[in-house]
Amino acid sequence: MDTTALLDSLHPLETKVLTILKDADCPRSDTELAEATDLEPSQISMAVGWLLTKNLLALASEQITPIVSLSETGRSYHASTSPPEWILQSIQEHHERSETITVKDLQAHDYFQPTELSRAIGLLKKDQAIRLVSGGVLERTGTESPTTTALRTVLEHVAKEAQALADFSSAHQSLIRQYAVKRGSLQEPFRIEDDILRTYALTPEGQAISQLTTSQSLEEVSQLTPEMLKDGSWRNHSFRKYSISLRPPRLAVGRRHPYREFLDSVKHKLTSMGFQEMRGELVETEFWGMDALYMPQFHPARAIHDVYFVKNPTHAKSIKEPFISQVADAHEHGGATGSKGWQYPYDRERARRLILRSQGTAVSARTLANTPDIPGKYFSIARCFRYDQVDATHATDFFQVEGIVLGHEINFRTLLGLLNLFASEMAQAKEIKFLPAYFPFTEPSVELHVRHPHLGWMELGGAGLFRPEVTIPLGVNVPVIAWGLGLDRMAMVALGIHDIRDLFTSDLEAVRNMRRKF
Amino acid sequence: MPTISIFHHDLEQLLGQNANINQVETWLSLVKGELKDHNPTNGELRVELQDSNRPDLWCVEGIARQIRVSLDTKPSHYPFLTNKGRSKRRLMVLPGIEDVRPFVAACATTGYHMTELGLTQLIQTQEKLADIFGRKRQTVSIGVYRLPAISFPITYGLVKSEEARFTPLGFTEKMTPKEILAIHPKGLEYGAQLSNADHVPLLWDKDGQVLSFPPIINSREVGEVKIGDTDLLVEVTGTDLSMVLLTLNIFAVNLADRGAVIDPIDIVYPYATAMGKTIKTPLDMSISQRISLNAIEHALGTPLGSESIQQALSGYGYQVKATRHTLSVKLPAYRHDMMHVMDVAEDVAISRGYDSFTPIMPANFSVGALSPVETLSDQIRDLMIGFGFQEMFSNILASRTEIVDRMRLAGTEHGHIVEIENAMSESYSCLRSSILPFLLRVEAASPRSFYPHQLFEIGEVALPDMGVDLGSRTVGTISAIIAQPGASFSEIHSYLDLLMYYLVRDYRLEPTTHHSYLDGRVGKIICGKHEVGYIGELHPEVLEAWQINMPIATFEFQIQKNN
């Protein structure tokens, strides 16, 4: 464990002990530590145990002191009388009443156990303070019993407080030992217990760590309160440390939708490249959605099974002139575009048919007709609809990122230049391929393939120069790049999604858990 | 656009050289082809062809031809297209057919020993051209026959649908066209292409033997080509002359590329066509066009010069003659897709290879900007997210049930929505007029996600409006919900109030009734003079309809200032 981890692992109790020992000139015992830290002995014992385990603390000395204290029996001897004292007194009282007393008489009382009495009689006889005459009668000899006196002295002494055995005279010591509780003999007045006094000192590691601990021996609290800040009392507290590796509770927060956030990054990227955003309508006419893009009315992608038609109303009121006529001319014979056109009779009624926008390019067509800036760059992120079976790769509606670039400088090479820029800005790609492609409204047309750092080779988009049949009928007389980017796959991989429908999932938990990986 | 199945060794044979798969894949950019799949065991390649104006490329012969032209750096020569003189065979067109299916083209091909592979490719080309280029046989359909079984001249005309009898492909007994339309699978599939089922187009030979009932089905007796056949008749009928002619040209050059000799047939019309009354087919329709060198150089951004443009076009199949500032260019007979000089410019670029053009960064300065509605949306989104609301993002197609019925809005002023006429499924048959149902869809799906649920979505809705050109308006709208025990009007009102404060909008609430909300707990949100939305606690019946067991307070309003 390195120092920081060790330091962090310290419990406040440990820190307190370390702090005391850091400043101590000699080892300290638990008692001394308890006094110095103002902690309970049990807390000190815990802290010392942990510190020993961590090898921050070592045992400096161990001193064993036998301590004498009174047993239950001893306390009763002290409070009333001890057996030899009682025997002497009983004999004396009988003697004063000119009566005799026998051992049996003594045993008839149940003040003491027979063993206690016989030991006391033995003691008194040994001291020659009594004698046993015929008939079992006890008599005093007139001699005092020094042992009885000594016993009383010791009882009085120890009753005040427990004393170290060593503090007594050797005669008293042997007396105490004689009358101390031993195994199997509980009816003894004294108890001798070993008091083990251990002292502890810091190890070199402990010394090092203790220098780093800052906590004073302060009162530990769990929460900083406004009151503490107001009166400054926080200085007198230490703050309980937390188990910071636990998982925190979850939060319900406000957050952008991850797919929308992805699209946000796209739109910000595009505005930073100088593109203006275009907006359009969800419901469009076939005219702006297809005719204006030079898709002939018989084009296979315009059939009933490719486009959603609006139920009511079915047709727009009108298409603005001169666009309807100019586009009709372009389809029929090229008009002023220099094209020979599609060579079919253009149906103006059909041009007004209302559909759900099927391609974002419709928005570009409207922009072209609305006196765009020249030079100018435009983009839209447009919701589009296709008549498709919904499955893992087909959504009912989806976003198309597309746009245009107008200017006299526009040509095939500036088109490739723009795509180069998209490759590096949108896909961080360094390797790219340009492949010939086909779109009804561009010529030349290009497919942009890039090597994405996370996805490998992928088709990033399609682009081209708008056909003059598109631009001229809409009143634009400079070359125009039309471009579209396919970013959904990138978004799906970034969000860890395998089904395109999940970009718009109704599962709140999934949305809360979704995050971008790149 | 079509995806076709071709075979590696067949392609190599047509190219006259071997080529590994990587080489083939590189060449595919010449035909806007993408290799979708490669089976190394049997050499099958699945190739998607992008260009819907180049049906000549929707077959292995066409792909090989375009590559071969590029390798040879000059166009292929097909003598049958330039030989003068009358053909030895004729096809007579009868009056009356001009109103139904007016055009036909045909040729005989001899000397190519039909192989199994050649036959499958022929059938594939026939299907792709008739289905995609011919719009499900409407404008173009194709028949191939065993030539020796036919005696000339052939007649093409209208007959009463119960008068002729022949054995159609796939059947063993003779049937009338009427019966074919009634029971033959192809009759059922393509019968709708005929405007009049009483009088139908028919091709028959000198002996009265029926060749075909176009565009429905060919005769089994003469129309079942087999492996080993050497001499064939190919015929194309349709409603567009140039498409009919182009289709026959494609078949003719394809068979010629496999070694057949092509014998043209004279088509004799009783009426004038754009190509005259008698047309010898195959016919090279393409005519030389003068185009400006400058236009190509300008489009490609490179002063390529006359010579290299000429080389590029020759190497792509064009016949080219150059003068100082113009080129005279002519497409090969199997193409009919030059509408504008830009088409030629692209062919120059493809022929030279896109990689040969150095990209240039567009240098014109322009100021980038978000639209006002997007800027406003973003401002509101930031505020709502700061208020602790999770943003949601939905599909915007839904069912009438979700948008109207479950919201208790049927028959109310809020029950009008934009509906799809040809919806694929009821679930996606309407444009949303409100975002709230989409948030309820989330709530209904997410009772196990921990609470509170504070959700919002901002986006487009379509509001029917007969006063505008398109019959509906697309309007930016925000909806927010609080779903939790105790969700209340007062709480959601606090958020609305705060939102309006930061948006610097004066607004007021006016008591109202709205069937989606509890009476007495719903307000109309009014900004200036405009009613922009509603705020309130949702009606328990709405929650029940969505099977939601949580009270919901919500607001929804249109964000644009000038609506």
Side-chain angles (χ1 to χ4, degrees):
Chain A
M1 216 190 286
D2 64 38
T3 311
T4 318
L6 196 56
L7 204 55
D8 286 343
S9 80
L10 291 179
H11 191 275
L13 293 175
E14 292 175 277
T15 310
K16 282 188 177 177
V17 169
L18 285 177
T19 312
I20 294 299
L21 286 171
K22 177 176 68 176
D23 301 327
D25 45 4
C26 62
R28 290 281 194 262
S29 68
D30 331 30
T31 324
E32 290 167 326
L33 287 172
E35 274 168 21
T37 56
D38 206 16
L39 293 174
E40 295 297 314
S42 62
Q43 291 178 305
I44 290 293
S45 136
M46 272 196 296
V48 165
W50 295 332
L51 289 168
L52 286 170
T53 319
K54 289 174 186 167
N55 202 28
L56 298 176
L57 205 62
L59 189 62
S61 66
E62 189 172 65
Q63 191 187 341
I64 299 174
T65 315
I67 299 288
V68 183
S69 59
L70 291 186
S71 70
E72 197 63 35
T73 308
R75 276 198 286 280
S76 130
Y77 286 1
H78 170 252
S80 50
T81 175
S82 66
E85 285 171 335
W86 180 69
I87 292 170
L88 287 176
Q89 198 183 341
S90 298
I91 296 172
Q92 185 60 37
E93 283 169 8
H94 280 82
H95 179 71
E96 283 168 7
R97 293 201 297 271
S98 305
E99 290 169 6
T100 60
I101 188 165
T102 64
V103 174
K104 257 191 187 132
D105 294 335
L106 288 176
Q107 286 171 339
H109 295 86
D110 45 1
Y111 294 141
F112 298 101
Q113 300 286 323
T115 47
E116 286 179 284
L117 288 176
S118 45
R119 273 182 79 198
I121 291 166
L123 177 151
L124 292 169
K125 277 168 76 181
K126 200 175 164 203
D127 273 357
Q128 296 178 348
I130 60 168
R131 60 173 171 262
L132 198 59
V133 295
S134 59
V137 173
L138 290 165
E139 283 179 0
R140 291 197 64 160
T141 58
T143 312
E144 290 302 303
S145 166
T147 311
T148 303
T149 314
L151 194 58
R152 173 52 54 184
T153 309
V154 174
L155 278 173
E156 291 298 333
H157 227 78
V158 177
K160 279 182 211 147
E161 61 177 331
Q163 299 263 327
L165 186 61
D167 292 350
F168 294 91
S169 65
S170 59
H172 283 177
Q173 281 189 32
S174 66
L175 181 72
I176 290 165
R177 284 211 173 87
Q178 199 182 334
Y179 284 91
V181 173
K182 295 171 199 77
R183 215 178 359 195
S185 65
L186 293 172
Q187 310 298 332
E188 299 288 358
F190 302 116
R191 182 177 281 128
I192 303 175
E193 285 168 317
D194 283 348
D195 178 52
I196 307 172
L197 182 73
R198 294 188 178 94
T199 62
Y200 302 95
L202 294 178
T203 61
E205 292 86 350
Q207 197 62 250
I209 285 289
S210 71
Q211 296 307 318
L212 300 172
T213 62
T214 50
S215 167
Q216 305 297 308
S217 54
L218 301 173
E219 188 194 339
E220 190 184 71
V221 291
S222 63
Q223 190 67 51
L224 183 63
T225 63
E227 288 71 28
M228 289 179 199
L229 288 167
K230 238 178 260 172
D231 62 15
S233 66
W234 64 270
R235 289 184 176 80
N236 306 327
H237 298 291
S238 71
F239 297 91
R240 185 168 61 77
K241 296 207 174 181
Y242 297 139
S243 302
I244 54 168
S245 56
L246 295 180
R247 299 272 306 165
R250 282 185 67 184
L251 296 173
V253 296
R255 182 172 162 256
R256 289 187 192 191
H257 189 280
Y259 178 43
R260 185 117 198 206
E261 189 180 32
F262 176 87
L263 293 178
D264 283 347
S265 69
V266 171
K267 81 187 182 202
H268 289 134
K269 200 61 124 171
L270 286 166
T271 53
S272 76
M273 287 190 253
F275 285 85
Q276 289 180 58
E277 195 196 11
M278 316 176 272
R279 299 287 283 222
E281 296 279 317
L282 295 170
V283 171
E284 240 326 340
T285 53
E286 284 203 36
F287 179 83
W288 291 109
M290 293 182 257
D291 298 352
L293 297 167
Y294 200 53
M295 289 172 73
Q297 291 177 319
F298 57 79
H299 195 279
R302 299 183 57 163
I304 187 87
H305 291 303
D306 293 287
V307 179
Y308 282 127
F309 294 94
V310 174
K311 194 188 265 181
N312 179 40
T314 56
H315 287 77
K317 290 177 181 161
S318 64
I319 304 292
K320 211 172 160 192
E321 287 288 7
F323 305 116
I324 179 77
S325 295
Q326 290 173 5
V327 167
D329 287 351
H331 279 242
E332 286 183 344
H333 47 74
T337 65
S339 170
K340 68 177 180 135
W342 282 111
Q343 306 278 330
Y344 74 100
Y346 181 79
D347 181 353
R348 291 182 178 222
E349 174 77 3
R350 178 147 183 208
R352 293 190 292 114
R353 185 69 175 96
L354 291 172
I355 56 170
L356 301 197
R357 180 169 59 206
S358 62
Q359 50 187 356
T361 324
V363 186
S364 293
R366 290 240 186 210
T367 300
L368 288 181
N370 196 26
T371 57
D373 292 343
I374 296 173
K377 300 199 198 93
Y378 296 87
F379 80 98
S380 76
I381 301 181
R383 188 88 72 148
C384 297
F385 307 85
R386 292 271 168 88
Y387 189 93
D388 253 328
Q389 201 72 52
V390 174
D391 61 27
T393 54
H394 297 89
T396 117
D397 50 84
F398 52 93
F399 283 96
Q400 274 191 347
V401 182
E402 60 87 46
I404 51 179
V405 180
L406 309 92
H408 293 282
E409 63 162 356
I410 293 307
N411 58 46
F412 185 61
R413 288 173 64 195
T414 46
L415 164 65
L416 300 184
L418 178 73
L419 295 181
N420 253 343
L421 184 67
F422 282 155
S424 59
E425 291 298 311
M426 295 295 178
Q428 303 86 49
K430 293 189 177 71
E431 280 181 80
I432 59 173
K433 275 192 297 202
F434 298 122
L435 294 178
Y438 175 78
F439 307 106
F441 38 82
T442 54
E443 196 82 14
S445 306
V446 193
E447 233 173 48
L448 170 64
H449 291 246
V450 303
R451 205 219 285 275
H452 188 278
H454 299 282
L455 286 77
W457 280 104
M458 61 170 282
E459 186 185 332
L460 182 63
L465 302 180
F466 260 139
R467 299 188 67 102
E469 295 97 323
V470 174
T471 53
I472 291 171
L474 300 179
V476 171
N477 292 303
V478 296
V480 179
I481 290 173
W483 55 267
L485 297 174
L487 303 176
D488 276 354
R489 206 177 132 243
M490 218 194 289
M492 286 170 68
V493 175
L495 297 174
I497 283 175
H498 305 291
D499 186 324
I500 197 164
R501 288 168 290 191
D502 290 342
L503 288 174
F504 295 116
T505 181
S506 300
D507 181 349
L508 178 59
E509 194 63 15
V511 174
R512 280 172 162 175
N513 290 332
M514 214 186 278
R515 58 184 168 169
R516 274 177 77 176
K517 292 177 187 144
F518 55 85
Chain B
M1 285 302 108
T3 299
I4 62 168
S5 166
I6 67 174
F7 289 85
H8 196 167
H9 62 278
D10 193 26
L11 179 70
E12 286 178 328
Q13 205 168 355
L14 286 158
L15 283 171
Q17 70 172 74
N18 291 343
N20 66 33
I21 190 70
N22 295 332
Q23 179 63 65
V24 170
E25 199 170 358
T26 309
W27 279 335
L28 285 177
S29 70
L30 287 169
V31 297
K32 299 183 188 173
E34 186 186 344
L35 185 60
K36 291 290 196 189
D37 202 11
H38 172 220
N39 179 346
T41 318
N42 63 3
E44 185 184 0
L45 313 176
R46 293 194 57 80
V47 180
E48 185 184 25
L49 285 314
Q50 283 193 22
D51 197 331
S52 58
N53 292 339
R54 287 287 307 270
D56 64 297
L57 297 176
W58 303 352
C59 50
V60 65
E61 296 90 345
I63 293 171
R65 187 181 310 119
Q66 189 70 69
I67 298 168
R68 207 172 55 233
V69 164
S70 173
L71 296 173
D72 294 349
T73 70
K74 64 177 187 348
S76 302
H77 180 58
Y78 295 99
F80 60 87
L81 292 167
T82 47
N83 287 351
K84 306 283 185 206
R86 286 180 64 116
S87 310
K88 55 188 175 189
R89 299 186 179 89
R90 287 195 298 163
L91 189 154
M92 316 302 290
V93 180
L94 297 184
I97 195 82
E98 65 263 36
D99 299 327
V100 181
R101 196 169 181 83
F103 305 110
V104 61
C107 68
T109 82
T110 59
Y112 164 60
H113 192 87
M114 183 61 74
T115 62
E116 186 183 351
L117 189 54
L119 186 60
T120 56
Q121 292 294 311
L122 180 73
I123 291 168
Q124 176 175 264
T125 311
Q126 191 179 351
E127 285 173 354
K128 297 293 178 190
L129 287 188
D131 194 44
I132 302 170
F133 185 62
R135 292 166 221 153
K136 301 197 189 305
R137 305 189 183 182
Q138 169 82 53
T139 42
V140 167
S141 64
I142 303 136
V144 183
Y145 313 87
R146 286 178 295 118
L147 185 64
I150 298 165
S151 50
F152 284 83
I154 297 168
T155 307
Y156 177 52
L158 275 187
V159 298
K160 282 192 175 167
S161 62
E162 62 271 27
E163 276 180 1
R165 288 180 74 81
F166 68 101
T167 311
L169 284 169
F171 276 67
T172 51
E173 64 272 24
K174 285 186 187 290
M175 300 165 79
T176 65
K178 191 173 184 174
E179 288 165 341
I180 288 171
L181 289 174
I183 61 169
H184 196 284
K186 299 290 176 189
L188 297 169
E189 187 177 353
Y190 297 104
Q193 307 286 32
L194 291 169
S195 51
N196 179 343
D198 295 334
H199 292 81
V200 299
L202 208 69
L203 280 158
W204 65 91
D205 76 353
K206 186 184 175 190
D207 303 332
Q209 174 182 235
V210 174
L211 273 58
S212 172
F213 165 24
I216 312 297
I217 192 76
N218 292 346
S219 151
R220 178 189 174 115
E221 279 110 4
V222 291
E224 194 165 49
V225 176
K226 296 188 181 69
I227 295 159
D229 286 343
T230 54
D231 301 338
L232 306 175
L233 170 79
V234 181
E235 99 359 75
V236 181
T237 61
T239 55
D240 181 300
L241 179 60
S242 61
M243 287 171 75
V244 166
L245 289 170
L246 179 69
T247 305
L248 185 74
N249 290 356
I250 290 169
F251 277 87
V253 294
N254 282 2
L255 286 159
D257 284 353
R258 287 192 181 275
V261 172
I262 308 299
D263 284 333
I265 292 176
D266 283 342
I267 314 294
V268 183
Y269 286 93
Y271 41 85
T273 74
M275 298 289 166
K277 280 186 79 167
T278 299
I279 306 176
K280 185 170 110 175
T281 64
L283 174 75
D284 186 353
M285 296 171 285
S286 65
I287 44 173
S288 288
Q289 304 259 353
R290 291 177 78 82
I291 57 166
S292 135
L293 259 176
N294 191 32
I296 292 186
E297 291 180 335
H298 191 251
L300 298 180
T302 318
L304 290 168
S306 171
E307 199 173 323
S308 52
I309 291 177
Q310 213 176 322
Q311 273 174 12
L313 288 174
S314 284
Y316 206 63
Y318 284 74
Q319 288 176 26
V320 198
K321 283 193 205 115
T323 60
R324 268 182 64 191
H325 298 295
T326 62
L327 287 176
S328 172
V329 300
K330 181 177 172 299
L331 280 180
Y334 48 84
R335 286 182 61 178
H336 193 55
D337 60 324
M338 194 209 297
M339 287 185 276
H340 197 278
V341 65
M342 291 303 279
D343 296 299
V344 184
E346 182 184 77
D347 284 346
V348 171
I350 293 174
S351 181
R352 292 178 61 83
Y354 280 9
D355 291 342
S356 73
F357 293 86
T358 314
I360 311 172
M361 193 67 75
N364 282 333
F365 178 78
S366 58
V367 176
L370 292 178
S371 63
V373 66
E374 187 68 12
T375 307
L376 179 58
S377 293
D378 283 353
Q379 188 192 357
I380 295 175
R381 288 168 65 206
D382 282 349
L383 287 167
M384 291 303 292
I385 288 161
F387 295 171
F389 282 72
Q390 168 68 50
E391 183 178 33
M392 297 305 298
F393 207 19
S394 311
N395 277 109
I396 70 178
L397 289 182
S399 64
R400 172 171 265 281
T401 311
E402 289 173 297
I403 302 176
V404 177
D405 298 344
R406 286 187 194 165
M407 304 308 294
R408 298 177 86 230
L409 296 175
T412 73
E413 56 173 319
H414 305 289
H416 303 295
I417 51 175
V418 175
E419 291 181 86
I420 297 170
E421 183 167 275
N422 58 328
M424 178 173 270
S425 90
E426 149 70 15
S427 311
Y428 311 109
S429 58
C430 310
L431 278 179
R432 66 182 180 189
S433 55
S434 156
I435 294 177
L436 179 56
F438 294 79
L439 295 179
L440 297 185
R441 191 194 269 175
V442 173
E443 184 54 35
S446 312
R448 288 204 187 84
S449 198
F450 66 103
Y451 283 87
H453 292 177
Q454 300 197 135
L455 314 176
F456 82 101
E457 180 169 349
I458 190 162
E460 294 170 320
V461 303
L463 301 177
D465 183 346
M466 290 302 173
V468 298
D469 235 4
L470 296 171
S472 65
R473 286 182 292 124
T474 299
V475 179
T477 298
I478 176 174
S479 180
I481 65 170
I482 297 175
Q484 65 177 9
S488 72
F489 183 94
S490 131
E491 190 180 7
I492 197 78
H493 189 190
S494 295
Y495 285 114
L496 177 72
D497 195 66
L498 200 58
L499 184 61
M500 291 300 195
Y501 174 77
Y502 287 124
L503 293 176
V504 196
R505 297 241 183 132
D506 285 328
Y507 84 103
R508 62 193 163 86
L509 300 186
E510 217 172 63
T512 186
T513 49
H514 186 297
H515 283 64
S516 298
Y517 299 86
L518 273 174
D519 248 7
R521 298 186 178 189
V522 53
K524 204 177 266 184
I525 305 170
I526 298 171
C527 274
K529 291 179 190 143
H530 303 286
E531 296 173 5
V532 294
Y534 290 88
I535 178 171
E537 293 179 16
L538 285 183
H539 197 285
E541 267 183 27
V542 170
L543 299 176
E544 265 179 13
W546 283 97
Q547 299 184 311
I548 291 171
N549 295 322
M550 195 59 75
I552 291 180
T554 173
F555 67 73
E556 172 155 9
F557 66 90
Q558 299 169 14
I559 64 171
Q560 275 109 326
K561 277 184 176 166
N562 48 350
N563 43 12

